[in-house]
């Protein structure tokens, strides 16, 4: 809006009128209104930037939590697989023991991962071995003095077949698993292959005369005595 003032004529300018344009209240208000959208836009940008920053922080936190959950899931999966393996092994071992105890009498003895039991009927060496194998065992194999002492204590002085024979070659004694005889508990003068007809071994030989350690002797394989069976745990 223009505000006119009274014209004054300088001496060198005739009939010329000057006026001055002064801003009034309405112009000031209009100037303020023109700056308001700029301020609002600036505030909106600040709010938008703040929102983006907050969302980015939350996204990073969620990513970290996701990775932690993935790690926990992986660890739980590994533990589950380990437990499954342990369960499978225990099931196999349980089934093994079940199969063992199905065939082993109640009066069996246990020593160094093997079950031992003695037959109740006197039979030949081969028939006694068949009795053992039908029950998942075999005639006993003695590999140490401790085992011989255990058998002496467990089964007393009963003459019983053990898994030792030289039927394949005279004088070459082998166990039923085809291993060569190394630790020996023969009674004095044994084996003697009396009458060239003694190719199987017994323990608990009566002539030993020892209460703590029974000894061996060779007997005719068709001689009827009981047999000692051994079933290994594994």
């Amino acid at each position: 809006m223009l505000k006119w003032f009274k014209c004054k004529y300088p001496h060198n300018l005739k009939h010329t009128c000057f006026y001055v344009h002064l801003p009034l209240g309405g112009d000031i208000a209009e100037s303020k209104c023109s700056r308001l959208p700029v301020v609002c836009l600036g505030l909106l940008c600040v709010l938008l930037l703040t929102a983006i920053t907050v969302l980015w922080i939350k996204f990073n936190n969620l990513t970290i939590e996701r990775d932690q959950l993935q790690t926990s899931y992986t660890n739980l999966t590994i533990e589950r697989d380990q437990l499954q393996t342990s369960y499978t092994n225990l099931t196999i071992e349980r089934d093994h023991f079940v199969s063992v105890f199905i065939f082993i009498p109640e009066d069996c003895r246990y020593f160094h991962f093997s079950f031992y039991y003695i037959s109740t009927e006197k039979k030949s060496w081969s028939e006694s071995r068949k009795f053992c194998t039908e029950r998942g065992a075999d005639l006993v194999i003695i590999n140490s003095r401790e085992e011989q002492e255990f058998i002496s204590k467990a089964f007393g002085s009963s003459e019983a077949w053990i898994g030792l024979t030289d039927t394949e070659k005279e004088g070459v004694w082998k166990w039923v698993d085809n291993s060569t005889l190394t630790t020996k508990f023969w009674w004095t003068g044994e084996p003697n292959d009396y009458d060239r007809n003694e190719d199987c071994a017994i323990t608990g030989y009566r002539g030993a005369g020892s209460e703590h350690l029974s000894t061996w002797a060779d007997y005719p394989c068709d001689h009827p005595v009981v047999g000692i069976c051994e079933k290994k745990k594994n």
Side-chain angles (χ1 to χ4, degrees), residues 70-133:
Q70 182 64 43
T71 301
S72 298
Y73 173 78
T74 302
N75 293 336
L76 287 173
T77 301
I78 293 173
E79 291 180 8
R80 182 204 62 190
D81 294 341
Q82 291 174 342
L83 288 173
Q84 182 63 43
T85 301
S86 298
Y87 173 78
T88 302
N89 292 336
L90 287 173
T91 301
I92 293 173
E93 189 171 353
R94 180 205 63 190
D95 294 342
H96 172 73
F97 274 108
V98 168
S99 66
V100 167
F101 285 107
I102 286 176
F103 298 105
I104 292 182
E106 294 181 357
D107 59 347
C108 69
R109 305 288 191 273
Y110 183 76
F111 177 79
H112 281 196
F113 307 106
S114 290
F115 296 94
Y116 301 81
Y117 53 99
I118 192 167
S119 61
T120 55
E121 296 183 18
K122 294 182 178 181
K123 299 180 179 182
S124 67
W125 187 90
S126 59
E127 289 175 340
S128 293
R129 187 182 184 191
K130 181 181 179 182
F131 170 85
C132 295
T133 56

Side-chain angles (χ1 to χ4, degrees), residues 41-217:
L41 182 60
L43 290 174
L44 183 61
C45 290
V46 171
L47 291 174
L48 183 60
L49 182 61
T50 302
I52 292 174
T53 303
V54 171
L55 289 175
W56 178 254
I57 293 173
K58 288 186 176 181
F59 174 77
N60 285 337
N61 291 337
L62 288 174
T63 302
I64 294 172
E65 291 180 6
R66 182 204 63 189
D67 294 340
Q68 291 174 343
L69 288 173
Q70 182 64 43
T71 301
S72 298
Y73 173 78
T74 302
N75 293 336
L76 287 173
T77 301
I78 293 173
E79 291 180 8
R80 182 204 62 190
D81 294 341
Q82 291 174 342
L83 288 173
Q84 182 63 43
T85 301
S86 298
Y87 173 78
T88 302
N89 292 336
L90 287 173
T91 301
I92 293 173
E93 189 171 353
R94 180 205 63 190
D95 294 342
H96 172 73
F97 274 108
V98 168
S99 66
V100 167
F101 285 107
I102 286 176
F103 298 105
I104 292 182
E106 294 181 357
D107 59 347
C108 69
R109 305 288 191 273
Y110 183 76
F111 177 79
H112 281 196
F113 307 106
S114 290
F115 296 94
Y116 301 81
Y117 53 99
I118 192 167
S119 61
T120 55
E121 296 183 18
K122 294 182 178 181
K123 299 180 179 182
S124 67
W125 187 90
S126 59
E127 289 175 340
S128 293
R129 187 182 184 191
K130 181 181 179 182
F131 170 85
C132 295
T133 56
E134 286 177 346
R135 288 155 179 78
D138 209 334
L139 287 173
V140 63
I141 298 173
I142 302 171
N143 293 314
S144 66
R145 182 180 181 86
E146 290 77 16
E147 189 173 12
Q148 181 65 31
E149 289 176 348
F150 162 77
I151 290 173
S152 301
K153 182 178 180 180
F155 304 110
S157 59
S158 300
E159 292 184 349
W161 292 121
I162 60 176
L164 187 63
T165 179
D166 70 343
T167 53
E168 291 185 2
K169 184 177 181 180
E170 180 60 36
V172 180
W173 291 88
K174 290 186 177 182
W175 295 105
V176 288
D177 64 354
N178 207 37
S179 60
T180 303
L181 174 65
T182 53
T183 304
K184 307 172 184 179
F185 299 97
W186 296 110
W187 173 243
T188 304
E190 299 288 342
N192 56 21
D193 193 27
Y194 180 76
D195 204 18
R196 296 189 177 182
N197 189 35
E198 295 182 333
D199 297 320
C200 297
I202 63 165
T203 187
Y205 182 51
R206 293 177 182 175
S210 173
E211 297 180 358
H212 303 290
L213 185 69
S214 58
T215 54
W216 304 344

